[in-house]
Amino acid sequence: MQPAPSPAEGNDACALIVGPARNYCLNGGTRAAPPLTGSHAGITPGGALLLVPVAVGLTWAVRLRRKAH
């Protein structure tokens, strides 16, 4: 483990970062992240359809609760 930088070394923005994040910082951090593909691309149409029953159930729960008060 490296010791904490002294105040004179405090001008280095990457001084307290370690590992791959330090390499990224030292390189300027200008590389773009790769585009999301496959299962990491967000909500798919099939995944969105799975949310429909949940949304309907929540809507009915809110309506029933409002009627009860």
Side-chain angles (χ1 to χ4, degrees), residues 4-5 12-18 22:
D12 182 11
C14 302
L16 297 176
I17 303 173
V18 296
R22 181 177 174 84

Side-chain angles (χ1 to χ4, degrees), residues 5-11:
S6 67
E9 298 171 352
N11 294 337

Side-chain angles (χ1 to χ4, degrees), residues 37 42 68:
T37 59

Side-chain angles (χ1 to χ4, degrees), residues 7-67:
E9 298 171 352
N11 294 337
D12 182 11
C14 302
L16 297 176
I17 303 173
V18 296
R22 181 177 174 84
N23 294 338
Y24 181 78
C25 181
L26 291 172
N27 290 332
T30 57
R31 293 180 293 157
L36 296 176
T37 59
S39 64
H40 301 288
I43 296 179
T44 63
L49 286 177
L50 293 175
L51 295 176
V52 171
V54 173
V56 170
L58 287 174
T59 302
W60 278 103
V62 168
R63 283 185 168 191
L64 290 174
R65 184 167 175 91
R66 284 185 180 170
K67 279 187 178 181

